[in-house]
């Protein structure tokens, strides 16, 4: 059941935090998880990525070799981090921040940051909107488990907004999958 995920964006968008939460949720379900991260020398604004491997078996190599899914929250991240995506993998894009999608066969476009602003109130919650979408798209962990992991990791005064962000992402992924199926017919 091995899943290799790469979450990418710019520093400050929270992709590293989202990956840590996803790995913690997998461990909470008794799965194996390995999480790694890298970012440019700039703390904010530079390219960043975080990778998660989730498996029911032991993980011997903790780095993603060929991701099953790449999330790109910026154009720069999309251009830089999708190239080794598996041929049958899924490229998930923040549609407003990635105006020129890379040429790839399976793309899901979700207005992640826009939804965070419009439905939750701040762009700060875009990473949790993305996390809700990724959980729905991959099925790597149960929705209830990711909710518990988010609640455990975020500041207590933001739990309610983060739960809303997860739900918004979950629903947006469902809508995006529906559109993709209609387009394929």
């Amino acid at each position: 059941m091995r899943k290799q995920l790469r979450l990418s964006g710019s520093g400050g968008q929270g992709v590293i935090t989202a990956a840590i939460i996803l790995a913690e949720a997998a461990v909470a379900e008794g799965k194996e998880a390995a999480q790694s991260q890298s970012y440019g020398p700039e703390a904010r604004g530079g390219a960043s990525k975080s990778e998660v491997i989730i498996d029911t078996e032991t993980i011997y190599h903790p780095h993603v070799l060929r991701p099953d899914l790449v999330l790109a929250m910026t154009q720069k991240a999309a251009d830089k981090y999708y190239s080794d995506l598996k041929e049958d993998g899924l490229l998930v894009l923040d549609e407003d921040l990635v105006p020129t999608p890379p040429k790839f066969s399976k793309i899901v476009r979700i207005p992640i940051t826009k939804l965070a602003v419009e439905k939750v109130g701040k762009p700060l919650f875009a990473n949790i909107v993305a996390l809700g979408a990724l959980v729905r798209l991959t099925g790597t962990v149960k929705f209830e488990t990711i909710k518990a992991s988010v609640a455990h990791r975020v500041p207590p005064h933001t739990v309610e907004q983060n739960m809303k962000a997860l739900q918004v992402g979950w629903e947006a992924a469902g809508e995006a999958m529906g559109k993709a199926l209609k387009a394929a017919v």
Side-chain angles (χ1 to χ4, degrees):
M1 159 274 117
R2 180 165 294 211
K3 289 283 184 187
Q4 299 183 70
L5 312 172
R6 177 176 298 141
L7 287 64
S8 62
S10 67
Q13 284 186 303
V15 294
I16 292 170
T17 300
I20 291 168
I21 292 169
L22 182 58
E24 289 174 349
V27 170
E29 288 187 352
K31 297 172 183 162
E32 298 289 320
Q35 187 273 325
S36 62
Q37 61 218 23
S38 72
Y39 38 88
E42 317 89 347
R44 291 196 177 271
S48 69
K49 71 173 178 172
S50 190
E51 298 178 331
V52 183
I53 301 171
I54 297 173
D55 204 335
T56 53
E57 304 292 325
T58 302
I59 299 168
Y60 293 105
H61 183 73
H63 297 290
V64 168
L65 300 174
R66 300 265 309 173
D68 298 289
L69 179 143
V70 172
L71 165 71
M73 299 279 289
T74 65
Q75 185 69 55
K76 190 176 194 179
D79 296 340
K80 186 173 184 177
Y81 294 123
Y82 93 96
S83 63
D84 57 350
L85 182 58
K86 287 182 180 174
E87 192 173 304
D88 64 343
L90 184 62
L91 181 58
V92 181
L93 305 175
D94 187 326
E95 73 179 4
D96 296 322
L97 300 181
V98 185
T100 309
K103 300 261 186 259
F104 194 75
S105 60
K106 292 168 106 180
I107 296 177
V108 172
R109 296 171 58 91
I110 300 171
I112 295 167
T113 303
K114 182 179 180 182
L115 288 170
V117 172
E118 291 179 358
K119 305 267 184 173
V120 191
K122 293 182 181 176
L124 170 74
F125 296 103
N127 65 331
I128 304 301
V129 172
L131 189 56
L134 295 183
V135 167
R136 184 151 194 188
L137 292 169
T138 64
T140 52
V141 296
K142 296 178 183 120
F143 192 64
E144 290 305 313
T145 308
I146 200 69
K147 284 172 67 175
S149 292
V150 168
H152 175 76
R153 176 62 68 169
V154 301
H157 69 280
T158 68
V159 170
E160 189 176 324
Q161 288 173 296
N162 278 288
M163 292 303 111
K164 186 172 186 177
L166 269 176
Q167 188 66 43
V168 165
W170 178 270
E171 291 170 5
E175 290 172 21
M177 288 188 308
K179 286 179 188 175
L181 287 174
K182 284 181 183 175
V185 173

